[in-house]
Amino acid sequence: MPSFDTLASADGLWTGLTGLDGQPCAIAVQDGRIAWTGAPDAVPAACAALPRHAGQGALVTPGLVDCHTHLVYGGQRANEFAMRLAGASYEEVAKAGGGIVSSVRATRAASEDELFARASARLQSLLAEGVCAIEIKSGYGLALEHERKQLRVARRLAAAHGVTVRTTFLGAHALPPEYAGRSQEYTDLVCREMLPALHAEGLVDAVDVFCERIAFSLAETEQVFQAAQALGLPVKLHAEQLSDMGGAALAARYGALSCDHIEHLSQEGIAAMAAAGTVAVLLPGAYYTLRDTHLPPIAALRAAGVPMAVSTDHNPGTSPALSLLLMANMACTLFRLTVPEAIDGITTHAARALGLQETHGAIAAGRPANFVLWDLQDAAELAYWFGQRPVRAVVRQGRIAEGAV
Ligand code: NIG
Ligand code: FE
């Protein structure tokens, strides 16, 4: 892995690019930021003398944003894949002692350096495909020291790879085995000890809960949201994945950045999200892996004007996916998103799901330079091909991080 500091600067005038609208465009980068962008015949005099980077007709998009991942964990769960192929459901696997809790055992057993090395390799795949910002959740530690270990790894990944990382504390992901039958006590621990301590260490950017029959109740979810709110932290929710718990409406009342999964989201939940400006995060990788058949209510979300993001949900149980473009393809094929919706879903709306809408997800003057040059002619190709990596170059945080131009 080349050190971020040694990467070439992206400063200069990027010409010969084609925008998502099919029109020629140019981008001027100065001091790692976008100084100007527009039509090639309208380059301001101040930018015209900059050194040139020839885009040679490459399609250019904003840097991709993966807004929902569980990237840091020990072990893997291919055995559960086999169990499900033999007919077991996700809930049955979880009840049999597998599921999230089996990743908890492996994560607790791993050292911080081991977790860093494994997560680094996974992150590398996402970065090579143009990811410039990523969310990383805890939730496989479920005890203060192990949640801390996961979040520290997430912070180290940001520094080592020169990528924007938003950390999300997901202490309320599953009930740890030592608290079996004592859900309320564990929720109290999450709210009174774990969250305040990790927040004080600067490790938490947002707070999430898995609100589900096999995880935390609506009342427990609200308790965690209240603890987050008291610390001034934004919330998100794993909502209505397996059943309609009313989680989305609750999350919207707390001004949630996003509600994620939402296969069983109700009309009431949609209305609440629309009113609160909460982003709907679609996770087709989990839907596909679990062979779910209950589609998220895309048409109703669209009609209500709820912004839709698309993410990998990378995790060892339900979505061992490391390609955001594949998720865009699946969002179109499985969920019937349009191509522009899918592209917005992995850029501008994904940024908003992380509260990064002012800095990421769009190519605009004043923002840090994060953009991707693709060996593609037509924007629809971004969601059309799968199993390919048509990246020519990635500019991340003002440096040429992949490819060469
Ligand atoms: O987003 N839904 C809950 N959490 C993860 C799955 C985690 C796991 O199975 O390890 C998800 O799909
Ligand atoms: Fe998830």
Side-chain angles (χ1 to χ4, degrees), residues 64-85:
L64 307 188
V65 179
D66 196 354
C67 66
H68 179 140
T69 86
H70 309 248
L71 198 73
V72 177
Y73 55 85
Q76 47 77 23
R77 300 202 334 245
N79 63 322
E80 290 177 19
F81 180 62
M83 282 170 77
R84 283 197 309 273
L85 288 176

Side-chain angles (χ1 to χ4, degrees), residues 65-68 84 241 259-263 280-296 298 308-315 317-338 341-343 345-346 383:
V65 179
D66 196 354
C67 66
H68 179 140
R84 283 197 309 273
Q241 180 187 11
C259 290
D260 306 37
H261 286 286
I262 56 168
E263 278 81 351
V281 178
L282 306 170
L283 304 171
Y287 177 91
Y288 164 83
T289 301
L290 296 175
R291 302 181 73 236
D292 202 345
T293 52
H294 199 291
L295 284 164
I298 302 298
M308 292 182 279
V310 175
S311 165
T312 60
D313 187 19
H314 178 86
N315 76 74
T318 63
S319 192
L322 287 170
S323 166
L324 201 47
L325 288 191
L326 177 58
M327 299 304 112
N329 170 275
M330 286 182 167
C332 293
T333 306
L334 299 175
F335 295 168
R336 311 313 273 169
L337 258 61
T338 65
E341 283 173 340
I343 295 172
I346 57 174

Side-chain angles (χ1 to χ4, degrees), residues 36-62:
W36 169 87
T37 183
D41 56 7
V43 177
C47 301
L50 293 172
R52 303 250 164 163
H53 299 279
Q56 295 172 337
L59 180 73
V60 65
T61 68

Side-chain angles (χ1 to χ4, degrees), residues 89-294:
S89 71
Y90 183 55
E91 286 167 286
E92 284 162 354
V93 169
K95 282 185 184 140
I100 294 168
V101 166
S102 92
S103 290
V104 171
R105 282 191 292 273
T107 303
R108 287 179 175 179
S111 70
E112 188 178 309
D113 285 346
E114 283 162 1
L115 292 175
F116 177 80
R118 294 293 182 94
S120 232
R122 293 177 201 124
L123 180 59
Q124 202 66 255
S125 295
L126 294 165
L127 298 181
E129 203 186 46
V131 166
C132 291
I134 183 169
E135 186 244 22
I136 300 178
K137 299 175 194 295
S138 67
Y140 289 124
L142 307 187
L144 179 57
E145 65 173 307
H146 299 294
E147 289 286 301
R148 176 188 289 126
K149 191 168 65 175
Q150 279 193 281
L151 294 170
R152 282 172 51 93
V153 168
R155 288 280 189 247
R156 279 175 63 185
L157 290 168
H161 292 269
V163 59
T164 302
V165 171
R166 300 300 282 175
T167 58
T168 299
F169 172 64
L170 181 54
H173 192 197
L175 200 57
E178 63 275 18
Y179 277 86
R182 297 188 292 143
S183 189
Q184 185 57 55
E185 264 180 73
Y186 180 67
T187 308
D188 291 346
L189 181 78
V190 164
C191 296
R192 293 177 194 159
E193 290 180 33
M194 292 164 73
L195 176 57
L198 297 169
H199 171 63
E201 292 169 37
L203 291 171
V204 182
D205 297 326
V207 176
D208 192 355
V209 177
F210 185 18
C211 179
E212 194 50 71
R213 295 187 297 242
I214 56 168
F216 293 88
S217 69
L218 204 60
E220 290 164 339
T221 300
E222 180 155 22
Q223 189 184 333
V224 177
F225 283 177
Q226 281 171 352
Q229 196 175 54
L231 296 171
L233 290 167
V235 300
K236 311 169 76 70
L237 190 65
H238 280 72
E240 344 292 22
Q241 180 187 11
L242 309 170
S243 61
D244 179 13
M245 301 274 293
L250 172 73
R253 276 205 279 121
Y254 283 81
L257 288 171
S258 70
C259 290
D260 306 37
H261 286 286
I262 56 168
E263 278 81 351
H264 294 262
L265 179 63
S266 67
Q267 193 56 48
E268 187 196 345
I270 293 171
M273 287 171 67
T278 299
V279 176
V281 178
L282 306 170
L283 304 171
Y287 177 91
Y288 164 83
T289 301
L290 296 175
R291 302 181 73 236
D292 202 345
T293 52
H294 199 291

